[in-house]
Amino acid sequence: MANFQPYDTSSDKAWYYIFRVICGLIFFFLMFPILVIMPLSFNAGNYFTFTPEMLRLEIEGFSLKHYRDFFTNPDWQVAMYNSFRIAPVATLLSVGFGTLAAIGLSQSHVPFRRTIMAILISPMIVPLILSAAGMYFFYSRIGLQGTYIGVVLAHAALGIPFVIITVTATLTGFDKSLTRASASLGAGPIRTFFKIQMPLILPGVISGGLFAFITSFDEVVVVLFVGSASLKTLPWEMFNGLREQISPTILAIATILITLSVLLLSTIEILRRRSERLRGITPS
Amino acid sequence: MVSVDSIIGRNSLHRKVQRSLRIQKLRALGLIAPLFIFILISFVIPIGDMLFRSIENQLVSEVLPRTTEYLKSEQINEDWEPPNELFWHLYVDLAIATEVKLHTRVGSRLNYEKTGISSLFRKSGRSIKKFGADDYRKALTEQVPELASIDYWELLAEGTKYGYTRDAYNEWKKRLIENDDFSEKTKPSDFLFVVLANDIKSPGATPTQGTIPEEKLLPVISELPEIRFKELFLDTDEDWAEPDVWDTIQLYSPSFTNGYYLNSADFKKGSDGPELRPENERLYALIFSRTLFMSVTITLVCLLLGYPVAYFLANLPMKYANLFLILVLLPFWTSLLVRTSAWKVLLQNEGVINDVLVAIGLIANLERLELINNQTGTIIAMSHILLPFMILPLFSVMKTIHPSYVRAAKSLGATPWTAFRRVYFPQSIPGIGAGSILVFILSIGYYITPELVGGTTGTFISNRIAYHISSSLNWGLGAALGSILLAVVLALYWVYDRVVGIDNVKLG
């Protein structure tokens, strides 16, 4: 508990607790929506609020029927299949191009570094609706609109800023003398890259990749415009479901996706710590 | 004495250093190039395409080339009457356009500027088929049966004598080919016979020996009833007599237009410069100001909620801070649609929040709060979604503020409030700037959440852009609105880059 100093006045002490209550309420605001839909997804009725049976914790109030619907309904299954068909490929593209460029950008003499960086990060800043509109216009001209390749290219572009940011962040702490040491011991540049540089920046690359994956997996605006009916992804179906007739199946999917993000968040946290340890930066 | 420089060859050393630097630069650029090209093709050029669409206006002059060419030299005012010749050009243009249904597209394009033109074009497109062109076809092919085959027309189009016929035929053929409707078996369209007859009998074209046996055709043509285009068009729809309609076609003839931008600012093109639209047609000023108002509100709400949390996190020991940080990062990492659906569920009339308020007796069952499908819904849901983008930059700035400053202020006699206001707060301003710009940039272009929880009053300019691109199909206006939004966002992005530096963005 709080260790107050003898000179703290009672109003200091009161403020200390009031402040903590305020922060608690804000944390509650942050977590409440996410926490509340998890139990709701086990609702036995088709309601979006707690039924009296649920509040009394009776077993009849709960069921897995919304989960069953998700795993048996062909619409949802196609959507999930499409999502898993698009996101990994888009991620690979972003990570491949992004990592190379990040290594290039972290060299000491890069002309127009700031401008290049600003352009490469811009897909993150430009409102999604504008990216979607532009891609819709341009991809229709070159025949990519409504195709798998079109959606993958678009998602890769959206994921790139995240890879650039995370990988350049890992590279700023990179000790250049390590590559020099490797070179002086006779290793060529390629060997140095794979044996020295790559293992050290790998955590950054992976967490950038996870960001890119989530970006594509969760993206709806661009896919609505660039995609077609046969390329409906999970977010597309959710968006339609929410816009037209909201069905409780969405709550089940939401719960599954929350579990997924908890897993991803833990992975990134572990990677971040590992990277800091490896680079000799102790968390301070 | 020999200088040291000349012995070790300073110049050559200098050159070597320069060379190695140049190689380094090239290698760095070589690594960046693939991604740069990728982003250019998949992202930057598409955005450029959108900008181009906001000024492009080729459709009208492409589909109605003769009409717009004729109108160029006309001075249209209220007393102006469309001359007979104009209707002749309009007939040829429309006859070609209707073959491939292009007249409806021009109609809807012009309808954005003046309502009613769309139906005018559709009606006329239907009725020109009954203008009597088939009589011309029958009479002419009776005399020269070869005219029924497309090969004969190909030969005609090669000659230079009947310029009008040649151009009309070539344009007609081009449209059919574009539509994949053209083959050797295609029958020449009826209107072509009217055009040919007109060319043959026009005084400029004296009968000579050529591909066409004019002497055979001339008597037939002079016996055929003359088609009175003006009367027929006016019979179809009296609007063709309106100078306003022609004025609109004339105004939108040039290949490029600022009309979409004028529309975005609630202006319209008049014959003497831009004029403000009537009060009941002004829409975009309202939507832009609403977008601005909601974005500012959301930014302020985020700042108000984010500042205490960031302060709290920054003053905790590291191991607890990391624990509490998860409470911020988890929502940040959760799917946007999940969070939006959560709010949709919570804020409903029969939703959890209203149920709780009724259960604890704060409101009566019949007075449930309207929390969704209005501005309140959008502001609540978006503040929740964007809050982590405020907390994270604030936190990373506050972490660097050393507690000894505040302690020093207090030991010099400042009250906690003064110490915060005069010492701590000024040092946290960079974080406030970074977080606020970021939240503002993100909120001003938001689409998904307002679309789902905003109803009609809680929507942003992005929702209007999406509407124009996917429903009303007024792409030019959508692109113009988009370009304005883009300009605002890029200006803020530039400020952000100056103030924070784009490579200092933290992602959790």
Side-chain angles (χ1 to χ4, degrees), chain A residues 128 218 220-221 224 239 242-243, chain B residues 294 298 335-344 347 372-386 442-443 445-456 458-460 462-463:
Chain A
L128 275 174
D218 193 28
V220 52
V221 189
L224 274 173
F239 181 72
L242 285 170
R243 192 153 61 166
Chain B
M294 285 204 285
I298 289 162
S335 160
L336 174 68
L337 280 162
V338 168
R339 283 178 284 168
T340 309
S341 33
W343 281 111
K344 187 143 185 164
L347 296 174
I372 203 165
N373 295 335
N374 53 26
Q375 295 199 0
T376 321
T378 307
I379 290 172
I380 294 178
M382 281 186 57
S383 302
H384 175 255
I385 287 167
L386 296 175
L442 292 173
S443 71
Y446 236 65
Y447 168 68
I448 295 292
T449 310
E451 181 76 21
L452 292 174
V453 301
T456 47
T459 50
F460 281 42
S462 341
N463 304 90

Side-chain angles (χ1 to χ4, degrees), chain A residues 59-263:
Chain A
I59 196 78
E60 301 87 65
F62 297 88
S63 106
L64 288 172
K65 68 178 213 184
H66 304 312
Y67 290 87
R68 200 179 317 122
D69 183 43
F70 172 63
F71 284 108
T72 52
N73 187 328
D75 284 350
W76 289 111
Q77 287 307 298
V78 169
M80 189 158 78
Y81 167 72
N82 277 330
S83 282
F84 277 108
R85 201 158 63 104
I86 291 166
V89 182
T91 307
L92 273 181
L93 279 177
S94 328
V95 170
F97 286 123
T99 309
L100 275 187
I103 292 172
L105 280 169
S106 63
Q107 315 263 318
S108 37
H109 301 280
V110 185
F112 310 114
R113 184 171 186 279
R114 220 186 159 95
T115 316
I116 293 175
M117 193 80 173
I119 291 174
L120 297 183
I121 303 285
S122 61
M124 192 173 85
I125 297 295
V126 171
L128 275 174
I129 186 72
L130 301 184
S131 316
M135 287 168 176
Y136 176 71
F137 292 145
F138 183 66
Y139 288 6
S140 330
R141 278 187 213 267
I142 58 174
L144 281 177
Q145 202 274 326
T147 64
Y148 171 72
I149 296 175
V151 177
V152 167
L153 284 184
H155 278 185
L158 296 180
I160 276 165
F162 297 98
V163 179
I164 298 269
I165 288 174
T166 51
V167 179
T168 38
T170 336
L171 282 166
T172 42
F174 186 77
D175 187 353
K176 287 254 162 55
S177 55
L178 289 175
T179 50
R180 269 183 234 127
S182 152
S184 77
L185 290 170
I190 292 172
R191 189 168 167 167
T192 306
F193 175 75
F194 280 106
K195 290 270 175 192
I196 309 292
Q197 218 167 355
M198 196 62 194
L200 285 171
I201 64 167
L202 197 62
V205 174
I206 294 178
S207 62
L210 289 176
F211 269 109
F213 182 83
I214 274 286
T215 306
S216 165
F217 199 76
D218 193 28
E219 205 291 320
V220 52
V221 189
V222 168
V223 95
L224 274 173
F225 283 86
V226 178
S228 63
S230 62
L231 287 169
K232 281 186 183 172
T233 57
L234 219 45
W236 177 327
E237 283 286 352
M238 284 179 82
F239 181 72
N240 271 351
L242 285 170
R243 192 153 61 166
E244 282 138 31
Q245 189 45 59
I246 165 163
S247 109
T249 312
I250 286 178
L251 298 181
I253 300 165
T255 309
I256 295 172
L257 289 180
I258 292 170
T259 320
L260 191 73
S261 37
V262 170
L263 289 176

Side-chain angles (χ1 to χ4, degrees), chain B residues 130-307:
Chain B
K130 298 175 209 125
F131 279 10
D134 46 339
D135 296 339
Y136 274 70
R137 176 175 50 84
K138 278 178 210 147
L140 265 66
T141 41
E142 219 164 75
Q143 292 297 317
V144 185
E146 294 93 328
L147 273 173
S149 97
I150 205 80
D151 298 339
Y152 198 79
W153 285 86
E154 285 287 314
L155 283 174
L156 262 179
E158 272 169 27
T160 49
K161 193 166 158 208
Y162 303 117
Y164 209 88
T165 309
R166 181 194 62 221
D167 292 346
Y169 172 77
N170 282 335
E171 194 189 325
W172 172 77
K173 181 181 162 192
K174 193 184 101 200
R175 294 276 176 226
L176 288 187
I177 291 173
E178 277 170 6
N179 226 22
D180 250 347
D181 274 346
F182 190 79
S183 73
E184 282 157 18
K185 295 198 181 71
T186 308
K187 292 276 164 235
S189 188
D190 290 352
F191 83 94
L192 287 170
F193 293 91
V194 185
V195 177
L196 180 65
N198 195 55
D199 255 351
I200 290 176
K201 75 175 174 194
S202 64
T206 42
T208 48
Q209 299 298 316
T211 41
I212 274 244
E214 279 158 348
E215 67 288 349
K216 254 163 121 186
L217 288 172
L218 256 176
V220 188
I221 292 169
S222 49
E223 273 169 33
L224 278 166
E226 201 187 328
I227 304 180
R228 297 175 183 283
F229 292 104
K230 184 169 178 175
E231 280 170 29
L232 289 165
F233 270 112
L234 290 182
D235 280 350
T236 310
D237 198 318
E238 281 174 3
D239 278 359
W240 283 120
E242 292 282 326
D244 261 8
V245 170
W246 296 102
D247 191 35
T248 310
I249 298 178
Q250 191 191 39
L251 277 174
Y252 285 90
S253 307
S255 301
F256 294 98
T257 177
N258 58 2
Y260 293 122
Y261 283 99
L262 291 176
N263 262 345
S264 315
D266 286 339
F267 279 83
K268 65 176 176 188
K269 265 176 120 89
S271 13
D272 14 82
E275 50 195 62
L276 203 59
R277 281 176 184 272
E279 199 99 24
N280 55 351
E281 282 178 30
R282 287 180 211 164
L283 176 62
Y284 294 105
L286 174 74
I287 297 182
F288 272 114
S289 60
R290 191 204 284 158
T291 305
L292 213 61
F293 164 75
M294 285 204 285
S295 304
V296 169
T297 312
I298 289 162
T299 311
L300 287 179
V301 171
C302 282
L303 187 61
L304 212 64
L305 297 180
Y307 198 90

Side-chain angles (χ1 to χ4, degrees), chain B residues 119-134:
Chain B
S119 72
L120 178 65
F121 269 68
R122 248 180 289 129
K123 247 200 235 165
S124 312
R126 275 196 303 271
S127 70
I128 53 166
K129 299 204 174 77
K130 298 175 209 125
F131 279 10
D134 46 339

